[in-house]
Amino acid sequence: MSADKHLQSWQERFEMAEAMQPLLGKLYRNQGVEVVVYGKPLLNASTIEIIKSHRLVRRHVGEKLRLRESFPFVEALSKLAVKQCKVDIGKLAVNYWREYQDASQIEAYMSRELADAITHQDDEEARDVVLYGFGRIGRLLARLLIERTGVSNKLRLRAIVLRGGRTGDLEKRASLLRRDSVHGPFNGSVEVDEENNAIIANGTYIQVIYANSPDEVDYTKFGISNALVVDNTGIWKDEAGLGLHLKSPGASKVLLTAPAKGAIKNVVYGVNEQDILDEDTIVSAASCTTNAITPVLKAVNDKYGIENGHVETIHSYTNDQNLIDNYHKADRRGRSAPLNMVITETGAAKAVSKALPVLEGKLTGNAIRVPTPNVSMAIISLNLNGETNKHDLNEYLKDMALQSELQNQIDYTDSTEIVSSDLVGSRYAGVVDSQATIAEGNRAILYVWYDNEFGYSCQVVGVMQKMLGLNYQSLPHG
């Protein structure tokens, strides 16, 4: 291909991606339809990101997906009465072009494949959400909720609850939402309403409330009712402490973004969210590590069976550690986080059994905190009941990442060059690094990357939807 043809091809792809953008935006904001290409989200994607998502299809299916091949599916989707779902146009397009030679059957094909979403009754009421705490997870949850702003949005971020309330606090909180050293700038505009103590982000009016205890707030004074309170503080982890939220007028349910104590259900979205009942008022979304490893462990156990194993997490440092050497009540965590690898404990391996009881007593775990600000890795060493090898195990996990009910939790990479910073912003619970897989006989060692902030926050949003009875299916099913 000549240099001019390369440029012409690029220009055509660029223009096609530009034409997709308004359709993608309207589909989400007006119908609640999130469009992806083999799991890669196109919501608020740039033209370059749309082009790159199509190039990655070759890694999954061994063949190109051109934008001119997928664009008719976006057009057809925009004409259908599809609501409240995630649609993978990459899979739809690849499957279609394998069966048909021209575009004449696309609309009929789409109507068949998306029939469940077309008949879906969009009668769920929008629900109020309150973020109690505004640290790393709180701010990322805010970003995820705000990017979904639109007439079809069912999760409405109404308020943030903070301790303190010193002079200049509001502007500082808004600034931390605008700028993030790891995840980059906020995609949109953030304004401060000092007079009414509120933050306005992309048109979302967020009341900022100051309180020192969960039971001090009357949410109804701010027009908030029947709200889900998402506790990001980690201060209260049992039923007695988290139950304080339910004493506040306007609050009806509580979700903890940390492992819970006692009888509170620990839920890993995609694995055991069906355990959440309408009458459950307090639920935990477990930990980032538990969310990263449980879907992979479930997939492996379903096929091979797990006799026992050990999980070692190589985890980025967190705000709980010290920036420089200083007193800390926990062992070793007082030493400077940016300068040391720090051995510490993790309950993630044991917590897996709360979401996947079949693994009760079969796993041990430990953790090493390392001097990186985000993205961690779980090294999962397993003794299996069945035999396998590297190729077969990787092919199975690749299929799980692409075609199974765990496709929104498990991602898969065969890159020989990927490193931790490449996974910043990953929306998956965990990413299987196939090049590092070791398997022979009944022994297997898996390496699973995870964005312990953003990927986990995406999992939390899934639990939020389930707690509030919001149905959001992924299509096509196969």
Side-chain angles (χ1 to χ4, degrees):
M1 185 183 289
S2 69
D4 286 345
K5 286 186 177 180
H6 277 293
L7 183 59
Q8 182 180 356
S9 173
W10 173 260
Q11 186 73 14
E12 288 174 356
R13 280 178 282 164
F14 202 88
E15 290 177 358
M16 195 72 72
E18 285 181 319
M20 275 190 186
Q21 287 175 310
L23 297 177
L24 297 170
K26 288 180 180 179
L27 276 166
Y28 189 84
R29 268 160 267 288
N30 296 336
Q31 297 171 231
V33 176
E34 183 177 352
V35 179
V36 300
V37 173
Y38 276 82
K40 301 301 178 186
L42 301 187
L43 179 63
N44 295 328
S46 67
T47 50
I48 299 299
E49 288 168 336
I50 293 174
I51 292 170
K52 288 173 68 176
S53 71
H54 283 67
R55 291 187 62 184
L56 289 173
V57 171
R58 183 196 289 271
R59 292 186 182 178
H60 296 302
V61 298
E63 56 187 279
K64 289 181 181 179
L65 176 63
R66 297 172 176 83
L67 271 83
R68 64 173 178 270
E69 294 173 327
S70 66
F71 184 75
F73 291 84
V74 178
E75 282 190 309
L77 182 59
S78 68
K79 298 173 184 177
L80 294 175
V82 177
K83 295 192 176 182
Q84 300 301 322
C85 63
K86 179 184 290 186
V87 177
D88 198 319
I89 60 160
K91 291 181 181 179
L92 288 168
V94 167
N95 293 339
Y96 178 88
W97 292 117
R98 284 173 174 172
E99 184 175 352
Y100 298 98
Q101 302 302 312
D102 57 55
S104 62
Q105 301 297 314
I106 287 179
E107 290 193 15
Y109 172 80
M110 291 280 280
S111 295
R112 291 196 304 271
E113 291 294 314
L114 305 181
D116 288 351
I118 294 172
T119 58
H120 173 74
Q121 297 297 313
D122 184 20
D123 54 3
E124 298 101 340
E125 292 184 5
R127 297 292 297 274
D128 292 345
V129 174
V130 173
L131 297 178
Y132 197 97
F134 205 49
R136 299 298 298 151
I137 301 303
R139 292 195 295 274
L140 290 177
L141 286 174
R143 287 189 174 203
L144 286 167
L145 293 172
I146 292 165
E147 80 173 9
R148 287 161 166 75
T149 299
V151 295
S152 66
N153 182 40
K154 302 298 183 181
L155 289 175
R156 301 186 304 183
L157 176 56
R158 298 295 308 281
I160 298 164
V161 183
L162 307 167
R163 285 177 292 174
R166 289 164 285 194
T167 303
D169 181 87
L170 192 62
E171 179 53 50
K172 284 184 176 293
R173 302 288 184 174
S175 181
L176 285 169
L177 180 60
R178 285 191 195 99
R179 308 172 182 89
D180 191 288
S181 301
V182 172
H183 299 281
F186 176 79
N187 188 18
S189 66
V190 177
E191 305 171 56
V192 171
D193 183 349
E194 291 277 3
E195 183 179 350
N196 296 297
N197 222 47
I199 293 172
I200 306 167
N202 289 2
T204 299
Y205 188 89
I206 309 164
Q207 187 69 52
V208 178
I209 304 168
Y210 293 98
N212 293 316
S213 176
D215 55 352
E216 287 184 2
V217 186
D218 183 350
Y219 294 109
T220 61
K221 290 183 177 179
F222 304 98
I224 299 169
S225 63
N226 200 25
L228 171 62
V229 179
V230 184
D231 190 320
N232 306 293
T233 67
I235 297 173
W236 302 277
K237 295 184 179 181
D238 58 15
E239 197 161 355
L242 294 169
L244 294 173
H245 288 290
L246 300 176
K247 295 182 178 181
S248 292
S252 64
K253 295 192 176 186
V254 182
L255 175 59
L256 172 65
T257 60
K261 296 179 179 179
I264 296 172
K265 293 176 181 177
N266 282 259
V267 174
V268 174
Y269 189 70
V271 175
N272 71 320
E273 72 275 8
Q274 66 277 1
D275 292 346
I276 301 174
L277 304 177
D278 290 342
E279 58 266 30
D280 288 329
T281 55
I282 303 175
V283 172
S284 160
S287 72
C288 56
T289 303
T290 303
N291 274 265
I293 64 179
T294 302
V296 175
L297 288 167
K298 174 174 170 47
V300 173
N301 188 68
D302 285 348
K303 183 172 178 65
Y304 300 102
I306 295 173
E307 184 178 341
N308 55 52
H310 177 80
V311 180
E312 195 74 29
T313 66
I314 314 302
H315 200 292
S316 295
Y317 59 73
T318 67
N319 198 49
D320 175 66
Q321 295 172 256
N322 289 335
L323 188 62
I324 58 175
D325 289 1
N326 205 348
Y327 172 80
H328 196 294
K329 63 180 180 180
D331 295 343
R332 309 187 205 230
R333 291 198 186 192
R335 301 300 297 277
S336 173
L339 297 178
N340 294 287
M341 293 191 294
V342 178
I343 295 177
T344 186
E345 61 183 14
T346 176
K350 291 182 179 179
V352 167
S353 64
K354 291 189 175 183
L356 202 59
V358 68
L359 296 184
E360 175 72 41
K362 294 185 177 183
L363 299 174
T364 58
N366 216 344
I368 303 172
R369 297 287 179 90
V370 295
T372 55
N374 184 41
V375 180
S376 302
M377 170 178 278
I379 304 174
I380 308 172
S381 180
L382 301 171
N383 292 311
L384 306 175
N385 293 327
E387 295 193 351
T388 188
N389 56 61
K390 178 176 179 176
H391 175 269
D392 290 350
L393 182 54
N394 277 340
E395 284 299 303
Y396 170 66
L397 291 173
K398 181 179 181 179
D399 186 60
M400 289 295 100
L402 291 178
Q403 308 295 347
S404 78
E405 293 182 353
L406 295 170
Q407 62 183 314
N408 293 320
Q409 281 68 50
I410 301 175
D411 196 10
Y412 176 97
T413 177
D414 56 11
S415 171
T416 58
E417 300 295 334
I418 199 165
V419 295
S420 61
S421 60
D422 297 324
L423 278 301
V424 172
S426 169
R427 293 177 180 243
Y428 293 91
V431 182
V432 175
D433 191 323
S434 65
Q435 295 301 306
T437 298
I438 301 171
E440 191 64 44
N442 70 337
R443 293 276 294 127
I445 302 175
L446 297 170
Y447 291 75
V448 180
W449 297 99
Y450 56 109
D451 183 324
N452 49 277
E453 295 181 336
F454 200 74
Y456 174 67
S457 295
C458 291
Q459 284 287 97
V460 172
V461 171
V463 179
M464 291 167 63
Q465 291 171 334
K466 182 64 178 178
M467 287 185 73
L468 297 178
L470 304 176
N471 299 311
Y472 204 74
Q473 58 183 324
S474 294
L475 297 167
H477 293 300

